[in-house]
Every structure is written in C-alpha cells, then in structure tokens.
Amino acid sequence: MANVAIYNMEGNEVGSLELNDAVFGVEVNEHLVHMAVVQQLANNRQGTQKAKTRSEVRGGGRKPWRQKGTGHARQGSIRAPQWKGGGVVFAPVPRDYSFKLNKKEKRAALKSVLTTKVNDSKLIVLDELKMDEIKTKKFQEMLNNLKVSKALVVINENDKNVVLSARNIPAVKTALTNTINVYDILKYDTVVVTKDAVATIEEVYA
C-alpha cells in the first residue's frame, strides 16, 4: 500500500496515510481513461449545429436559363451548392453525440487516474480544510503553502466558505467526492483532497 504525507493548511507535514491499493494502486488502463474523457466531452456537446441543404434554402424553384444555347453551363436551380446563397453540401444536422460506458469501466478509469496521481506524487492529502469566512486570499495562501498552482480540490461535504473562496481562482476547481471525474483529475496538475474525502472515496470505489 502507498503511503502519502498528510499536510495542514500551513503546508506542514502532520502525519501519514496508508492508501487502499484497490483504489489508489491499481493497474493503469490508458484505453479506459481515454474512453472516459471522450465520453464526458461528447456528452457535454449540445449537438445543435444546423445548416440548410439545397432542398431547404428558400427560392430557386425556377430553372435560371434554358438547358442549351446560352453558352453557360447547364443549371437547374440558383440554390445549388455552387451558387452564392445556395445550400450546403452534406449540411450538418442536430444530433446526439453522447454514448454510454459501463459502470465498471467508469470506475476502472477513475481508479486509473487516481493511481497515476499517486505515482506522480501529485496527490496531496490535507488533515482538514475549513475556513471561518469567505476569503480568496486565505485560500490562495493555503495553495502557496502547499506549493500548488493548478489544482482540483476535493472535499467531503459542501462547505460554502471553501467553495466560494476558491471560485475566483482561475486555475482551481472544487469538487465533492461524488462529483469527481476522470477529465477534471487529468485537467488539473495536482489533486488536493481532505483526509475525510479519501476515506469516502475508498469506501465507495474499493
């Protein structure tokens, strides 16, 4: 089992924690990680793009000139794709880009990225994360103490003071243990997680 240091908000090491190998020490499956990221991005797409084909563009019902004898190329409609204002060839239409992954695949992908963060020493465990007031400056000081810039901060319970303090920092995102996902874990360099949140993650995914 991997051992990681536990830090306080001042950046001082206050202990160590043994992580469960069933969650933080699995064999990394890069293919499932890739599929999980593609799925999340695909599911976020609106799919509302639309352009008109030649049959949908207004006008063009009359043949612009006779078939032969004009010296021009033959034309059937002024709304054909080669005309200005004409329809689009193979025009995009609204569609649903989403697809499904099995629960086991999603869990395996999440475990893989968590394991990667542990292996790369990019998982920082805090003994607790509590703030008496909404103060972005204080939250930034904590990140500076931990020597972290771009981070995903995972907390166990929805603490309004913590969430609102972190909201104005561009390179920081807060997440609850039940909302963490593969894409966010990969997007942010470091995962800062409270000791309580680690216990919850191990309980759910082990």
Side-chain angles (χ1 to χ4, degrees):
M1 288 190 177
N3 273 303
V4 293
I6 299 176
Y7 296 91
N8 58 19
M9 292 178 66
E10 286 71 45
N12 300 319
E13 190 174 329
V14 293
S16 64
L17 179 67
E18 201 172 74
L19 298 174
N20 190 340
D21 280 348
V23 179
F24 296 97
V26 301
E27 185 179 344
V28 176
N29 189 325
E30 291 183 2
H31 174 67
L32 283 182
V33 171
H34 172 73
M35 289 299 295
V37 171
V38 171
Q39 188 222 15
Q40 186 171 340
L41 294 177
N43 291 359
N44 287 341
R45 293 184 70 172
Q46 284 185 311
T48 54
Q49 74 277 32
K50 176 73 176 80
K52 291 182 179 180
T53 62
R54 63 181 294 172
S55 66
E56 296 168 318
V57 179
R58 183 178 176 86
R62 181 175 62 86
K63 189 173 174 67
W65 51 75
R66 68 179 191 271
Q67 181 84 344
K68 294 177 178 291
T70 62
H72 296 296
R74 55 193 173 192
Q75 300 291 333
S77 167
I78 62 169
R79 290 296 175 252
Q82 72 271 21
W83 285 72
K84 181 178 180 296
V88 177
V89 183
F90 305 129
V93 293
R95 57 167 287 195
D96 181 11
Y97 288 92
S98 65
F99 64 94
K100 287 188 175 181
L101 276 184
N102 296 334
K103 281 185 180 178
K104 282 185 178 179
E105 291 175 326
K106 285 183 179 179
R107 291 167 72 94
L110 190 66
K111 290 178 186 179
S112 291
V113 289
L114 289 173
T115 299
T116 302
K117 289 297 180 184
V118 173
N119 293 342
D120 295 342
S121 301
K122 293 291 186 180
L123 185 92
I124 296 176
V125 180
L126 287 176
D127 59 345
E128 62 175 1
L129 179 54
K130 289 185 178 178
M131 302 192 71
D132 302 327
E133 57 180 339
I134 300 169
K135 201 75 174 174
T136 302
K137 185 178 179 181
K138 188 176 178 183
F139 196 94
Q140 184 63 60
E141 284 175 2
M142 179 204 74
L143 295 176
N144 294 340
N145 292 337
L146 296 171
K147 297 177 182 176
V148 170
S149 55
K150 190 175 182 181
L152 176 69
V153 181
V154 182
I155 51 180
N156 204 30
E157 295 177 354
N158 192 10
D159 188 329
K160 183 181 176 183
N161 289 352
V162 171
V163 173
L164 294 182
S165 296
R167 192 166 63 176
N168 277 343
I169 305 174
V172 173
K173 180 178 180 178
T174 56
L176 296 174
T177 50
N178 61 349
T179 63
I180 57 174
N181 58 75
V182 173
Y183 179 73
D184 282 344
I185 294 172
L186 288 175
K187 181 180 177 183
Y188 293 90
D189 296 337
T190 309
V191 176
V192 178
V193 56
T194 61
K195 190 169 67 173
D196 293 343
V198 170
T200 302
I201 291 170
E202 289 180 341
E203 186 181 335
V204 172
Y205 293 101

